[in-house]
Amino acid sequence: MSQHTVKDLLALAPSGQEVEIKAWVRTFRSNRFIALSDGTTINTIQAVVDFENMSEELLKRVTTGAAVCVKGKLEASQGKGQSSEIQVSGLEILGDSDPEVYPLQPKKHSLDFLREKAHLRFRTNTFGAVFRLRHGMSYAIHKYFNERGFFNMHTPIITASDAEGAGEMFQVTTLDLKNPPKNEAGEINYSEDFFGKETNLTVSGQLEAEMAALALRKVYTFGPTFRAENSNTSRHLAEFWMIEPEVAFADLTDNMDLIEDFLQYLVKYALDNYRDDLEFLAQREAQEEKGKPEAERKAMGLIERLEFVANHKFERLTYTEAIDILRNSKPFKKKKFKYPVEWGTDLQSEHERYLVEKHFEKPVILTDYPASFKAFYMRLNDDQKTVAAMDVLFPGVGEITGGSQREERLDVLKRRCEAMGIEEEHVWWYLESRMFGTCQHAGFGLGFERLIMFVTGMGNIRDVIPFPRTPQNCEF
């Protein structure tokens, strides 16, 4: 007899066939009804035991969290809310779970508590749904790019460059921290370090991906990135994952076309393949929203937001046009915005959500931001004030991803480096690529965890990555 999964059994038409399943006990009621879960689906299957044919000692070991092997007949269920159940003929305990100390009893636990039990939280309905969706989105990303002729690049995790110019990087060294070698000026002598220079964990694979795109035309990265930003907000991690496609012979319009098609593909994939998980998460979110003041509640439910993105063509406008719209809006005139709206300052989430949810009622792509607060590699526009950058704005979250046409002109790129205090010797290879067959090219970066937050409706980025790394926290 072959083993089945819960998902397999729920898909079968019950006809008294003999089945075997290995799973974990979710609940055990009345010494008779065992709810079995094995992670393959949000749903459980009920196993019905005849306590007269089971020893009392065995049944005492059927506790929440215990691993069991159940054999029996798959029959049509007499109970509500389920089509089939297992009439148990054999029950074996594979792994005991002490109910006195097992922390995940069948009741609602706070997300804060579950973060402290991150090694066990996969076993809950919420996190089972989140991490099945995380897997599904990962698969869909690779599927999307592979079907469109992109090549996956594994860019360096250890690097000597700071792609974003932020300086908030984790240092990598083999030097003796208690007694590092010094040069004549009394500074640490990194020439004696493992790589012969100062190195860090990467914040982005973009610069290296550009090098590959300038030979292979269409590439993408999907790897871990690191940022030593001392922030404990619900949107920041020290270790996270990034998807960064780069396309040669592409301009900003091509980039916008790609990102719109990509994001809609991913959202539709989730809706088509993970409906049960999404419906569970939507119900969970709806319950949470009831406890919030009306002014703080989300305008749309989870599935409604996903369908909103999947079914609407994205509105495209410039940053300057967006500033004009915001300054002429009722919230601005009535001083309802918390943050100022002025040309030359970055937009805040409240501004972005107004454009998406109130003004256009569709996803938005903003372009042509002021060069003053954008990265050095973004192509300078003819007005010499803005760059060919773009941000994508979604309901409920505001900005979800951003990108740009890259600066391919060597002289302009050098001036941008100088203006932003980036020494040419640190990016010499990046500059040199503009000397040999340079061409227009473009790309974007999508934080994977930010995508999963949107798809699952989870409000804290710590809850969409298996083991979050944040300031003062590197447990598990």
Side-chain angles (χ1 to χ4, degrees):
M1 186 189 307
S2 61
Q3 283 187 42
H4 295 87
T5 67
V6 172
K7 189 174 183 179
D8 292 338
L9 294 180
L10 293 176
L12 291 175
S15 59
Q17 60 268 53
E18 291 287 338
V19 297
E20 177 183 327
I21 183 171
K22 293 179 180 178
W24 293 274
V25 175
R26 182 60 58 84
T27 60
F28 185 28
R29 297 182 294 111
S30 307
N31 249 23
R32 182 168 171 77
F33 305 106
I34 309 173
L36 296 173
S37 171
D38 67 356
T40 57
T41 171
I42 191 72
N43 301 303
T44 59
I45 191 166
Q46 181 169 273
V48 183
V49 299
D50 184 346
F51 60 87
E52 293 182 356
N53 296 327
M54 299 283 173
S55 71
E56 184 177 344
E57 183 180 350
L58 177 64
L59 293 178
K60 283 182 178 179
R61 296 172 63 194
V62 182
T63 59
T64 298
V68 298
C69 176
V70 170
K71 297 179 182 179
K73 292 183 178 180
L74 188 68
E75 303 279 9
S77 177
Q78 303 303 309
K80 293 182 180 179
Q82 53 199 19
S83 60
S84 57
E85 62 188 20
I86 304 170
Q87 294 292 331
V88 178
S89 59
L91 173 64
E92 180 186 357
I93 307 297
L94 303 177
D96 288 288
S97 178
D98 186 344
E100 297 297 322
V101 295
Y102 184 58
L104 302 183
Q105 293 302 314
K107 64 177 183 179
K108 185 174 181 178
H109 298 284
S110 74
L111 295 177
D112 284 338
F113 171 79
L114 291 174
R115 285 179 209 125
E116 296 173 3
K117 309 293 181 184
H119 58 306
L120 299 174
R121 65 178 180 168
F122 301 99
R123 305 184 186 197
T124 65
N125 280 333
T126 296
F127 288 97
V130 167
F131 291 114
R132 278 188 294 272
L133 275 158
R134 184 179 171 108
H135 158 78
M137 291 296 90
S138 177
Y139 171 76
I141 287 164
H142 288 296
K143 185 173 186 289
Y144 177 90
F145 285 125
N146 186 65
E147 290 174 351
R148 287 155 183 79
F150 282 74
F151 299 105
N152 182 220
M153 290 290 116
H154 294 150
T155 52
I157 291 174
I158 300 173
T159 179
S161 65
D162 180 358
E164 301 295 329
E168 296 163 334
M169 304 178 75
F170 289 102
Q171 189 171 353
V172 176
T173 182
T174 58
L175 295 178
D176 181 356
L177 298 182
K178 294 180 180 179
N179 186 30
K182 302 287 184 68
N183 57 25
E184 293 181 356
E187 299 168 337
I188 294 176
N189 184 5
Y190 285 104
S191 67
E192 295 188 26
D193 207 347
F194 186 90
F195 294 105
K197 62 175 65 176
E198 193 170 358
T199 54
N200 308 281
L201 296 179
T202 187
V203 299
S204 169
Q206 178 203 312
L207 304 189
E208 291 88 353
E210 282 187 53
M211 303 303 98
L214 292 173
L216 300 175
R217 193 176 183 118
K218 295 194 292 186
V219 304
Y220 73 103
T221 75
F222 191 168
T225 51
F226 309 85
R227 192 157 299 178
E229 185 176 357
N230 190 17
S231 174
N232 269 306
T233 76
S234 62
R235 294 169 66 86
H236 289 91
L237 289 169
E239 176 186 83
F240 54 99
W241 290 69
M242 286 285 290
I243 303 102
E244 297 173 297
E246 291 291 329
V247 182
F249 309 111
D251 60 15
L252 187 62
T253 299
D254 298 320
N255 208 21
M256 289 190 285
D257 292 343
L258 174 63
I259 201 166
E260 180 171 345
D261 186 61
F262 176 59
L263 290 171
Q264 288 189 321
Y265 176 93
L266 296 180
V267 170
K268 289 175 182 176
Y269 189 91
L271 287 167
D272 290 344
N273 294 278
Y274 291 86
R275 196 78 188 195
D276 286 349
D277 288 319
L278 289 173
E279 288 176 354
F280 170 82
L281 291 168
Q283 291 172 4
R284 176 194 168 279
E285 181 187 82
Q287 288 297 317
E288 281 196 344
E289 290 294 296
K290 287 180 181 179
K292 296 180 180 179
E294 189 170 348
E296 296 178 12
R297 293 178 189 171
K298 293 176 180 174
M300 292 177 273
L302 174 59
I303 291 177
E304 188 181 2
R305 293 196 302 275
L306 296 176
E307 291 175 341
F308 177 92
V309 168
N311 300 328
H312 287 88
K313 184 171 177 59
F314 294 10
E315 186 73 26
R316 302 179 184 186
L317 68 156
T318 67
Y319 164 90
T320 300
E321 290 169 332
I323 292 293
D324 290 341
I325 290 169
L326 291 167
R327 290 183 66 85
N328 286 304
S329 69
K330 286 183 180 179
F332 178 81
K333 292 178 179 178
K334 293 183 178 181
K335 299 183 179 180
K336 294 289 183 70
F337 287 137
K338 181 180 178 181
Y339 296 96
V341 180
E342 297 175 1
W343 200 98
T345 60
D346 206 355
L347 298 183
Q348 301 298 316
S349 179
E350 61 177 345
H351 309 136
E352 296 165 341
R353 291 184 60 185
Y354 172 82
L355 293 169
V356 173
E357 298 168 20
K358 303 295 184 184
H359 188 82
F360 290 109
E361 296 185 337
K362 61 177 68 173
V364 170
I365 304 179
L366 292 185
T367 66
D368 303 305
Y369 281 81
S372 59
F373 59 80
K374 288 297 184 180
F376 78 99
Y377 51 72
M378 296 182 176
R379 195 181 199 277
L380 190 65
N381 289 328
D382 292 341
D383 63 11
Q384 303 296 305
K385 296 191 303 181
T386 61
V387 288
M390 66 171 189
D391 283 342
V392 181
L393 315 181
F394 271 11
V397 296
E399 180 196 344
I400 191 165
T401 182
S404 71
Q405 184 173 334
R406 313 312 191 188
E407 183 57 77
E408 85 280 9
R409 298 164 297 184
L410 180 59
D411 58 334
V412 178
L413 190 57
K414 285 185 173 183
R415 289 201 302 271
R416 290 283 286 157
C417 285
E418 182 179 3
M420 302 192 78
I422 298 172
E423 297 182 21
E424 289 187 18
E425 65 184 61
H426 291 164
V427 289
W428 66 268
W429 50 274
Y430 186 77
L431 296 172
E432 190 173 278
S433 69
R434 272 57 175 173
M435 297 169 58
F436 311 121
T438 189
C439 67
Q440 67 178 14
H441 58 287
F444 61 85
L446 172 63
F448 188 46
E449 284 72 29
R450 191 163 291 190
L451 170 70
I452 303 304
M453 286 179 71
F454 178 74
V455 171
T456 62
M458 300 300 286
N460 194 312
I461 199 167
R462 295 170 176 84
D463 298 326
V464 295
I465 193 168
F467 300 104
R469 299 314 189 215
T470 55
Q472 304 300 306
N473 178 32
C474 192
E475 199 63 67
F476 310 106

